[in-house]
Amino acid sequence: MIALIQRVSEASVTVEGEVTGAIGQGLLVLLGVEQGDDEAKADKLLHKVSGYRIFSDENDKMNLNVSQVSGSLLVVSQFTLAADTGKGMRPSFSGGAHPADAERLYEYFVARARESGVPTETGRFAADMKVRLLNDGPVTFWLQV
């Protein structure tokens, strides 16, 4: 399971002209589900995402996590993160989870994030989404479990 996280001042997702999720300060989480991923991996990744200390403290050091700055998560499914780009000029998606499994684990990740108390918004699974963000820094990290 893969999360590309971006520290944002604000972010939103629009589907067919409708905003499905929007946050102020927090993390945009682009979430990719791979074959073999399960709930245990989702839990481990969520723990890492929510605990990752990438927000500045009073000394301008990255020492605070999203909860410590009263931030939010915007979780967007992104199957292209599971692409194999090692050969040729076209990505292969053979390593990605079956869509039904990916949707189940995406929904599980979102539900667990909400249960953890971090305000969580979403895109719409498998939709053509327009994502807007104001990357703060820029600060972007690739997390994989």
Side-chain angles (χ1 to χ4, degrees):
M1 189 166 270
I2 301 163
L4 182 71
I5 61 171
Q6 298 182 45
R7 185 178 74 185
V8 298
S9 298
E10 60 184 56
S12 65
V13 178
T14 302
V15 178
E16 297 177 3
E18 172 194 352
V19 175
T20 62
I23 63 169
Q25 181 183 34
L27 296 174
L28 171 62
V29 181
L30 302 176
L31 188 67
V33 182
E34 299 174 289
Q35 289 181 18
D37 286 346
D38 57 17
E39 288 82 357
K41 283 189 176 183
D43 287 337
K44 185 175 181 180
L45 185 59
L46 176 60
H47 178 74
K48 193 163 192 173
V49 166
S50 59
Y52 219 59
R53 299 183 313 165
I54 61 173
F55 292 90
S56 297
D57 64 14
E58 66 279 356
N59 297 314
D60 207 26
K61 300 290 183 195
M62 286 189 194
N63 274 329
L64 304 175
N65 65 39
V66 68
S67 294
Q68 292 171 313
V69 297
S70 300
S72 303
L73 301 178
L74 176 57
V75 184
V76 177
S77 63
Q78 177 124 22
F79 79 95
T80 60
L81 290 175
D84 178 355
T85 60
K87 294 182 185 175
M89 299 302 288
R90 184 169 186 228
S92 167
F93 300 105
S94 60
H98 183 276
D101 294 331
E103 183 173 15
R104 179 180 56 78
L105 287 171
Y106 167 78
E107 295 294 342
Y108 177 84
F109 184 94
V110 168
R112 297 286 288 163
R114 288 178 172 149
E115 289 170 10
S116 77
V118 178
T120 303
E121 297 285 326
T122 66
R124 188 175 301 151
F125 187 85
D128 180 16
M129 295 176 275
K130 307 302 180 207
V131 180
R132 293 182 187 267
L133 69 139
L134 183 55
N135 191 316
D136 180 17
V139 174
T140 303
F141 292 96
W142 173 281
L143 305 177
Q144 187 169 17
V145 295

